[in-house]
């Protein structure tokens, strides 16, 4: 009866999200806040959904530190909202100021660039047995990375026919364009652009290649940490 009732009312999603962010150490409150946010967000208008985007983005790194499971749900919500976000023209004043407009600090931007990059590597793997479902991974991602990007292994997370499911190819293409914007600094764009450039879908790889060309001018390719990271990626470690 409760679920039927909730489907018929408009939940105060913005207030619930604010409450979630203001109670980082109370897991029970955050659990139910997220539950109702996910149920209520689909009944909001596009403009109301976009008003939630800065709130979701701000503090996402800290949310991850508190709970990877909760952060996984928040990250998925961010991806759902990005569909409605209209990027400003690249190089425009609005583009240059996008980071401050959305209130994104360096820690959160670094977190997003890291996970947007991992998203570019995501490939959906179907478990051969029920027991194998808890240990799924794909090239370039650990088991924990894969769980995070698939809502802890939720089957319909990347099923566009489900209510909250996303299309993986469309989302990657969207994120590639988002990464090319003024929201991210050149060093934050490098790895995601590199991964996007290697994608087999031209809609993703072309944006990745263009972004990579632009950021390469400011990247020190002889930096020991960068070289070590590239070697680890190459050998799959």
């Amino acid at each position: 009866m409760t679920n039927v009732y909730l489907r018929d009312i408009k939940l105060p999603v913005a207030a619930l999200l604010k409450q979630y962010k203001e109670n980082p150490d109370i897991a029970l409150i955050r659990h139910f806040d997220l539950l109702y946010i996910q149920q209520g967000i689909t009944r909001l208008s596009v403009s109301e959904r976009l008003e939630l985007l800065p709130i979701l983005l701000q503090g996402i790194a800290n949310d991850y530190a508190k709970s990877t499971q909760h952060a996984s749900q928040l990250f998925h919500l961010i991806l759902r909202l990005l569909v409605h976000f209209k990027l400003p023209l690249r190089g425009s004043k609005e583009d240059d100021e996008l980071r401050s407009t959305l209130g994104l600090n360096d820690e959160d931007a670094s977190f997003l660039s890291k996970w947007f990059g991992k998203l570019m590597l995501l490939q959906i793997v179907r478990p051969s047995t029920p027991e194998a479902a808890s240990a799924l991974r794909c090239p370039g991602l650990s088991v924990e990375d894969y769980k995070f990007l698939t809502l802890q292994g939720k089957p319909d997370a990347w099923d566009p026919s489900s209510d909250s499911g996303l299309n993986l190819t469309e989302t990657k293409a969207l994120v590639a364009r988002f990464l090319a914007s003024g929201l991210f600094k050149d060093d934050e764009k490098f790895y995601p652009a590199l991964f996007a450039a290697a994608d087999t879908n031209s809609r993703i790889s072309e944006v990745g290649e263009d972004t990579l060309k632009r950021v390469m001018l400011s990247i020190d390719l002889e930096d020991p940490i960068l070289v070590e990271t590239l070697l680890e990626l190459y050998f799959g470690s």
Side-chain angles (χ1 to χ4, degrees):
M1 290 294 292
T2 302
N3 288 338
V4 173
Y5 175 69
L6 285 174
R7 285 198 295 268
D8 294 331
I9 64 174
K10 186 174 181 179
L11 293 165
V13 178
L16 289 168
L17 183 55
K18 185 174 183 290
Q19 179 175 261
Y20 175 93
K21 293 283 186 173
E22 292 176 348
N23 291 276
D25 298 314
I26 307 178
L28 187 63
I29 288 178
R30 287 161 75 88
H31 169 76
F32 283 105
D33 281 343
L34 271 179
L35 177 66
Y36 296 135
I37 288 167
Q38 290 174 316
Q39 291 182 356
I41 201 167
T42 56
R43 290 190 288 279
L44 299 180
S45 66
V46 170
S47 61
E48 288 174 320
R49 294 184 200 185
L50 288 175
E51 288 175 1
L52 300 177
L53 185 58
I55 307 174
L56 280 168
L57 294 173
Q58 294 163 16
I60 185 66
N62 186 57
D63 291 325
Y64 180 83
K66 291 294 183 180
S67 169
T68 56
Q69 183 174 353
H70 288 167
S72 175
Q73 297 173 62
L74 292 174
F75 185 74
H76 198 77
L77 284 172
I78 288 170
L79 295 176
R80 288 171 63 184
L81 294 187
L82 289 184
V83 174
H84 307 294
F85 187 85
K86 186 177 180 181
L87 282 168
L89 186 66
R90 185 189 291 181
S92 65
K93 181 182 179 183
E94 291 78 9
D95 182 49
D96 293 338
E97 296 176 351
L98 188 56
R99 192 171 179 125
S100 60
T101 299
L102 291 175
L104 203 65
N105 63 29
D106 290 347
E107 186 180 9
D108 292 329
S110 177
F111 174 89
L112 289 171
S113 69
K114 171 187 173 180
W115 283 102
F116 282 164
K118 289 180 181 291
L119 177 64
M120 292 298 172
L121 297 172
L122 179 64
Q123 300 174 33
I124 301 303
V125 181
R126 303 302 175 190
S128 54
T129 64
E131 294 75 18
S134 62
L136 292 178
R137 58 172 296 178
C138 62
L141 299 180
S142 68
V143 172
E144 293 306 313
D145 291 339
Y146 190 88
K147 285 181 179 179
F148 181 87
L149 292 170
T150 58
L151 288 175
Q152 310 304 309
K154 191 176 179 182
D156 60 353
W158 293 100
D159 179 2
S161 64
S162 69
D163 289 341
S164 59
L166 292 168
N167 181 297
L168 182 56
T169 300
E170 293 296 326
T171 303
K172 285 184 179 183
L174 174 67
V175 167
R177 296 194 300 272
F178 204 74
L179 281 160
S181 73
L183 186 63
F184 297 99
K185 300 175 183 177
D186 284 356
D187 61 327
E188 295 164 346
K189 295 178 181 181
F190 178 71
Y191 289 111
L194 180 65
F195 302 150
D199 200 277
T200 56
N201 188 298
S202 60
R203 292 172 55 212
I204 301 167
S205 62
E206 287 176 3
V207 177
E209 288 171 3
D210 180 65
T211 304
L212 193 60
K213 289 176 184 176
R214 294 171 184 269
V215 303
M216 287 283 280
L217 299 174
S218 61
I219 299 295
D220 179 10
L221 295 178
E222 295 183 2
D223 178 74
I225 296 177
L226 185 143
V227 172
E228 182 180 353
T229 303
L230 290 175
L231 286 172
E232 288 176 350
L233 287 167
Y234 180 79
F235 290 111
S237 58

